[in-house]
Amino acid sequence: MTGTDSPPCIDLKDIWTTYEGAAYPVIKGVSLRIAAGEFVVVGGPNGAGKTTLLEAICGLLPLVKGSITVCGREIPKEKIGILCDVGYVIQNFDFHPFTPYTVLDVVRMGRYGRIGWFSRESQEDLDAAMEALRLLRIDHLRDELIGTLSGGQQQKALIAHNLAKKPSVLLLDEPFSNLDVMTRDEVSSLLCDICESGVPVVMVSHAFDSLPRRDIRVVVMQKGKLVLNTTSQAGDVADIIRSAPVAG
Amino acid sequence: MLEFIIQNNVMCHAVEAMLFASIGCAILSVLITQMNISSIGFTMSHAAFAGGAAGVFFGFPMLLSAVVTSLATALVMGPLSYRTRMHTDTTLGVLFGTMMALAIFFIALMQSEGRGFDAASLLYGNVISLYREEIYALVVIACSIILLIVIFGKEISAITFHRKMAEISGIRVAPVYYLFLFLIAVNVAFCLPIVGGLLLYVWLVTPAAIVYQFCPTIRQMFLAAPAVAGCISIFGAVAGIVWSLPVGPLTAVLFSLVFVLAVAISPKRKVCRQIY
């Protein structure tokens, strides 16, 4: 499946975004359509705007120009609705060893936005959290404090936090950065399954050795601009990113 | 309220004031420490202090001026800490210094005018100075804080865990954050006459710091902090009145002693020395 033969789940039209207080735009005129079930890898040098692109898709950043539609909802009008629907695994986290939350607490939090202000968690919410823990194979760690886990286990807990949401779109920022080779393959296979179920996966990564063996859309960012948008196989991603044209 | 247990009116008044003030402060202390906004806590407590001092100097009701100043500071502080591109600690440091300077300025003026009693009660508090209505107000504030924690428990736990992740989950972080600042402002203003502007901060941080040594989860901290703070405050009030010691400072010292003891025996400090 490609981005052109089905309606887009994510539709970016000439978007310009910036961080609050920044003097210049960080994303400059990016247009991108991502369809259901696509696996997208966003590459490019440090500071190219990859993380900013993911945050813009979530509606976390002010939109200076252009339009963003996610699953038929438009940012910023329906930002909260989009955030409830989008899973976003953040890049930087550093939990203190005595952070007073267990792994299960953290995974359950993924559903809190969906539950709403005055409602309590239902059995369905708890089941979704448990299922996410099982998918990541960390159900045995459910009662451990999040800060006592290794970086890789914390990373898995954060992925589970987002999977518990049952997201319609999954965004991941360097999901392999703390994972060992075996776990990378496990997570990669899980992401592949998620894609097969129709959920588009958009991943910022510099680790290309564990990408799933399937069609991958490669998007390359440079200096806030999209310089390459093509489809490839896992083994070619690194070379494609290296040979991407340089932004003016 | 507690006359059926404590027959002595003065003692009863002091215990009620300390107990209900400590319950609200202790619950807020868990949020303040877990959200890493201790500097916001001390800035707001000193804002109430400055407002109270200005109010007493100009002849306005102290409570009202402390509430207004604390709320105004919360309104300024919210956007500052939430949106500023400058380091939060720096902006709060400036705000804290300004508030402290204002408080000292008005207290010095009062002393130069021979109003030393007003100045001292602002600095160190006076546990038996409260009217009955003010104690009822403390009960209402403590109950409101408990109620809000119960109603918005899941949102608060997500925000205290990780503000950005909470926002990504679809939680409206800003309203909860501002509600929380509002609660601190009101609570701080009402506690100011009891423990004084200089010591109030102890009530807003130390209870959580004590129970943190023993409680692995935030739920346990929410339950243990008011219980521990209530016990220490009651003991401080009783001991202060029986031995004619200043209740506020005595209780503040007790909090610190219990904290030192808690750290000394904390299971979190245990180091595994065994090799299996």
Side-chain angles (χ1 to χ4, degrees), chain A residues 55 98 101 116 119 165, chain B residues 85 150 154 160 164 168 212:
Chain A
E55 294 195 351
F98 299 119
Y101 296 95
S119 308
K165 256 183 172 180
Chain B
R85 302 293 290 173
V150 171
K154 61 182 191 310
T160 50
K164 188 172 180 181
I168 293 165
Y212 177 75

Side-chain angles (χ1 to χ4, degrees), chain B residues 48 51-52 55 60-71 134 189-190 193:
Chain B
F60 297 131
M62 185 185 81
L63 196 61
L64 185 67
S65 49
V67 169
V68 169
T69 318
S70 204
L71 282 176
E134 289 172 327
F190 274 84

Side-chain angles (χ1 to χ4, degrees), chain B residues 42-270:
Chain B
F42 73 63
T43 306
M44 288 184 73
S45 62
H46 286 85
F49 182 30
V56 172
F57 180 77
F58 290 115
F60 297 131
M62 185 185 81
L63 196 61
L64 185 67
S65 49
V67 169
V68 169
T69 318
S70 204
L71 282 176
T73 310
L75 287 177
V76 176
M77 202 186 286
L80 269 179
S81 62
Y82 195 66
R83 296 175 187 276
T84 185
R85 302 293 290 173
M86 207 157 137
H87 203 284
T88 310
D89 260 2
T90 313
T91 51
L92 289 177
V94 172
L95 215 49
F96 161 72
T98 309
M99 291 302 161
M100 194 68 180
L102 278 174
I104 291 169
F105 176 77
F106 286 115
I107 283 172
L109 278 181
M110 276 188 270
Q111 280 176 333
S112 69
E113 290 178 0
R115 295 158 65 189
F117 176 76
D118 291 342
S121 66
L122 266 173
L123 280 169
Y124 314 117
N126 186 353
V127 76
I128 54 171
S129 68
L130 264 69
Y131 294 110
R132 185 134 295 276
E133 292 74 25
E134 289 172 327
I135 294 182
Y136 291 145
L138 281 174
V139 175
V140 171
I141 292 168
C143 291
S144 307
I145 292 171
I146 293 170
L147 195 66
L148 288 170
I149 296 288
V150 171
I151 293 173
F152 300 116
K154 61 182 191 310
E155 286 81 8
I156 287 171
S157 66
I159 293 168
T160 50
F161 172 63
H162 200 290
R163 211 179 299 178
K164 188 172 180 181
M165 278 175 64
E167 191 180 359
I168 293 165
S169 299
I171 291 170
R172 290 171 205 267
V173 174
V176 178
Y177 186 74
Y178 291 125
L179 173 70
F180 172 55
L181 289 185
F182 173 78
L183 283 177
I184 298 180
V186 174
N187 190 62
V188 153
F190 274 84
C191 293
L192 183 68
I194 305 170
V195 290
L198 287 182
L199 302 173
L200 192 51
Y201 184 58
V202 174
W203 270 258
L204 284 174
V205 170
T206 318
I210 293 169
V211 299
Y212 177 75
Q213 302 301 322
F214 304 98
C215 299
T217 67
I218 198 152
R219 273 180 225 97
Q220 292 169 354
M221 287 178 76
F222 274 128
L223 292 172
V228 169
C231 291
I232 297 172
S233 297
I234 290 173
F235 183 79
V238 173
I241 288 173
V242 168
W243 292 310
S244 300
L245 297 168
V247 172
L250 174 69
T251 313
V253 171
L254 282 174
F255 266 114
S256 303
L257 288 176
V258 174
F259 172 69
V260 171
L261 182 70
V263 170
I265 61 172
S266 168
K268 290 185 178 176
R269 286 182 65 241
K270 278 184 186 160

